Amino acid sequence: MAMAPLYESQELKVYNSITGIKETFTPITAGNIGMYVCGPTVYSNVHLGNCRTFISFDLVFRYLKHLEYKVRYVRNITDAGHLENDSEDGEDKVSKKARIEQLEPMEIVQRYTLDFHNVLAKFNNLPPSIEPTATGHIIEQIEIIKSIIDNGFAYEANGSVYFDVKKFNETNKYGKLSGRNLEDMIANTRELAAQSDKKNPQDFALWKKAEPEHIMRWPSPWSDGFPGWHLECTAMSTKYLGDQFDIHGGGMDLKFPHHECEIAQGEASCGKSPVNYWMHANMLTLNGKKMSKSTGNIISPAEIFEGGNTALSKSFAPTVARFFILQAHYRSILDFSNDALEASEKGFYKLMEAIQTLEKIAPTSTTTGFAIDQWKQECYDAMNDDFNSPILIAKLFDAVKFINNLKEGNNSISTTDLEVLKNTMHGFVFDVLGLVDTQSDSSTSGIGEKLSGTVELLINLRAEARANKDFATSDKIRDELLAMGIQLKDGREGTSFSIN
Ligand code: AMP
Ligand code: ZN
């Protein structure tokens, strides 16, 4: 008989942004999950803030897979259509960059898509199941506009098409995700004279007629133009996941207007609210302010991996930065600092060392000092509680303490428990958190590997000094390493070291 999938024995709760509560997660089709996450606009290099959001949803993807759900994860590439500051007029971001760099818009798109993939691979993010592009789905977007017009929720004006928010609000509620209501929005808007063809300032563009200088343009029943910003996600999510699907994610800053408009478009085109669980990842801040391309308040992934930013004392392995990010819950604000990253690095190596130690532990007939099965369920409980990675990591460190006790001979572990402990540690650390042991993996920057190589060299020099009765030198090596937090231990098999 086949084993029941893991999700059947776990109760996953997900904080749903639209209801504001943690809800028991039930997929539309048992055992299958459809998840859509808004991807990047590929007109510049991603910064660490963007990466935080994509790492947050990688954790979600990994845990859902770990629970043995079949997950279809769709994350788009926004390669067309956004206007500067999402305004009604002006140039789109891709075309503007193309003009500045004297390149084809699609060269810009290709360059920054590659950068995005490269950076996320360094962070050990899994690729999504489908990665559709906005420009590859113009026909689908036009079809949705037609159905919204047919249903009476959009109007054409001078070759552009706008969503009629007021009309929509008569039968549906506009603002349910962001907790706004249309009357307040209208009261708070100061209408600019002759600002646009819109009936109301709250209306948003579904299609924009292109000005003669606008490079990225497509034919449509209304004009040669380009789709509105919000429409691509409606088109690509519903094309691959159906009119209604399980999870839609993105950064907190996309809640309004982007996701609010997606709900309106979904309801207006097919009469159904598109998403069951809305998930929003919180922001990474730098000096207390949102990391943001437009203000220049950013740290780039390259600066983390290679150094070179004055805010950083040194470079850090991508997996260390990933660990730093996962030490905060995805719904909490996380402030970036060099000190916090250094602290994460220490914790990371301690965790890796414990996992390596585990390989050398010899089991005995009984386990003392640790309730393995209970601990294992507590690890699941942490993740079942809206993907609480910081609590999970605290649980993993309970195991680190136990492993170190095993090493010292203070506790013992049975053969069966040792298997459970190893599998659970590996499952959560490598599969769910997606960390990489830099000492055993040469694909990452290998700082851990280089560090241990350097310490091995010093251990050999110390052994030579001792053989020559040069105790001043041998003690100096031991003491100075200790001052740096690296402890040498002399044993029967030679000298080993640990990082405190
Ligand atoms: P964009 O390319 O601007 O659409 O951003 C891509 C993703 O990064 C979106 O989901 C944003 O919400 C997210 N994002 C932007 N800035 C930050 C930040 N400082 N912290 C976390 N996520 C962010
Ligand atoms: Zn989107």
Side-chain angles (χ1 to χ4, degrees):
M1 205 181 78
M3 289 256 287
L6 195 50
Y7 60 78
E8 287 190 2
S9 60
Q10 305 295 330
E11 194 189 352
L12 175 63
K13 291 208 155 141
V14 175
Y15 180 88
N16 193 346
S17 303
I18 201 162
T19 57
I21 50 172
K22 282 182 204 164
E23 297 174 12
T24 299
F25 180 75
T26 316
I28 295 168
T29 309
N32 292 263
I33 296 176
M35 171 161 99
Y36 184 89
V37 172
C38 295
T41 308
V42 282
Y43 73 105
S44 65
N45 298 104
V46 280
H47 57 70
L48 197 63
N50 304 131
C51 296
R52 182 190 182 195
T53 287
F54 297 119
I55 290 171
S56 296
F57 287 103
D58 186 56
L59 175 76
V60 171
F61 182 39
R62 282 170 175 275
Y63 187 58
L64 296 175
K65 279 162 61 98
H66 180 82
L67 289 180
E68 299 176 313
Y69 281 110
K70 188 168 173 233
V71 190
R72 181 179 294 166
Y73 174 22
V74 183
R75 189 186 62 211
N76 71 302
I77 294 282
T78 295
D79 57 353
H82 278 212
L83 290 180
E84 200 62 41
N85 303 319
D86 309 319
S87 67
E88 279 302 305
D89 304 302
E91 206 171 2
D92 82 68
K93 290 170 184 168
V94 174
S95 307
K96 184 174 177 186
K97 189 80 174 206
R99 187 171 49 75
I100 293 168
E101 300 199 7
Q102 296 192 318
L103 294 168
E104 270 294 313
M106 278 298 151
E107 286 181 286
I108 295 293
V109 163
Q110 179 73 0
R111 173 187 295 178
Y112 294 111
T113 302
L114 286 176
D115 171 73
F116 174 63
H117 287 161
N118 248 325
V119 167
L120 289 197
K122 284 195 175 136
F123 279 120
N124 200 29
N125 268 25
L126 298 174
S129 330
I130 305 178
E131 195 169 45
T133 61
T135 56
H137 295 76
I138 301 292
I139 291 169
E140 288 82 351
Q141 296 179 66
I142 290 173
E143 289 306 309
I144 293 174
I145 299 174
K146 284 186 194 161
S147 66
I148 298 178
I149 295 176
D150 288 348
N151 294 341
F153 294 113
Y155 56 91
E156 189 199 338
N158 286 324
S160 294
V161 181
Y162 296 97
F163 190 95
D164 192 338
V165 172
K166 214 166 171 179
K167 178 80 189 299
F168 175 77
N169 201 53
E170 287 166 11
T171 46
N172 302 54
K173 166 136 180 45
Y174 182 73
K176 50 174 157 285
L177 176 64
S178 54
R180 299 171 193 225
N181 77 61
L182 188 59
E183 291 69 38
D184 294 346
M185 284 185 240
I186 292 168
N188 292 332
T189 317
R190 269 179 295 145
E191 178 82 50
L192 298 173
Q195 180 204 32
S196 72
D197 298 322
K198 291 196 245 175
K199 287 192 201 164
N200 291 295
Q202 280 68 38
D203 295 351
F204 55 90
L206 297 173
W207 188 262
K208 286 291 283 180
K209 180 182 174 178
E211 298 301 326
E213 65 277 10
H214 201 101
I215 321 170
M216 297 181 94
R217 55 167 69 217
W218 294 266
S220 81
W222 312 285
S223 63
D224 268 14
F226 52 95
W229 169 30
H230 316 300
L231 193 60
E232 62 178 83
C233 288
T234 295
M236 291 183 270
S237 60
T238 57
K239 171 160 181 166
Y240 298 108
L241 301 173
D243 290 343
Q244 281 187 304
F245 55 95
D246 299 300
I247 299 175
H248 192 315
M252 205 77 105
D253 54 346
L254 297 185
K255 227 183 202 183
F256 188 88
H258 186 51
H259 293 159
E260 199 70 75
C261 294
E262 276 190 61
I263 295 177
Q265 289 166 163
E267 292 183 3
S269 62
C270 61
K272 289 181 214 156
S273 200
V275 177
N276 280 354
Y277 300 87
W278 281 97
M279 292 183 68
H280 290 97
N282 215 328
M283 296 291 109
L284 183 70
T285 59
L286 180 60
N287 302 316
K289 287 191 218 78
K290 180 189 164 190
M291 217 177 256
S292 159
K293 176 88 191 157
S294 58
T295 55
N297 187 42
I298 53 173
I299 299 266
S300 75
E303 287 167 340
I304 304 270
F305 310 155
E306 291 146 30
N309 186 305
T310 48
L312 296 169
S313 60
K314 62 185 203 63
S315 63
F316 294 88
T319 193
V320 167
R322 182 179 175 101
F323 185 62
F324 159 74
I325 285 169
L326 295 176
Q327 279 180 301
H329 185 243
Y330 77 91
R331 279 193 294 116
S332 309
I333 287 178
L334 172 61
D335 194 47
F336 178 87
S337 77
N338 187 69
D339 288 355
L341 206 51
E342 280 187 352
S344 293
E345 187 177 50
K346 278 199 181 137
F348 173 80
Y349 284 119
K350 222 169 149 177
L351 185 58
M352 292 304 138
E353 205 198 334
I355 289 173
Q356 286 153 18
T357 302
L358 206 46
E359 295 305 314
K360 297 176 214 140
I361 299 290
T364 59
S365 57
T366 53
T367 302
T368 60
F370 202 59
I372 304 271
D373 290 333
Q374 187 191 329
W375 166 81
K376 178 179 169 183
Q377 187 52 45
E378 285 168 3
C379 291
Y380 279 99
D381 291 346
M383 287 304 287
N384 290 341
D385 185 14
D386 193 31
F387 310 94
N388 201 320
S389 54
I391 304 279
L392 169 66
I393 291 169
K395 293 286 158 202
L396 297 176
F397 275 94
D398 288 347
V400 168
K401 209 164 146 196
F402 174 62
I403 293 165
N404 289 334
N405 275 333
L406 289 174
K407 187 172 140 192
E408 302 296 330
N410 300 334
N411 286 129
S412 61
I413 190 163
S414 72
T415 310
T416 335
D417 281 350
L418 182 59
E419 269 315 294
V420 175
L421 182 57
K422 274 187 193 171
N423 288 341
T424 311
M425 282 300 268
H426 279 249
F428 279 107
V429 171
F430 300 122
D431 301 343
V432 175
L433 293 177
L435 301 175
V436 177
D437 188 350
T438 48
Q439 312 208 9
S440 62
D441 188 295
S442 56
S443 69
T444 56
S445 79
I447 284 184
E449 197 179 20
K450 286 172 195 148
L451 175 68
S452 45
T454 311
V455 178
E456 292 297 339
L457 176 71
L458 288 165
I459 287 173
N460 292 340
L461 289 174
R462 176 166 167 264
E464 276 175 31
R466 283 166 108 188
N468 296 333
K469 304 220 176 324
D470 179 3
F471 297 115
T473 302
S474 71
D475 288 353
K476 188 176 154 85
I477 291 173
R478 186 197 55 205
D479 295 345
E480 296 205 357
L481 281 174
L482 187 61
M484 280 183 255
I486 299 169
Q487 189 175 13
L488 300 189
K489 284 172 206 156
D490 297 316
R492 258 179 297 155
E493 264 92 39
T495 305
S496 63
F497 73 94
S498 65
I499 299 172
N500 299 317

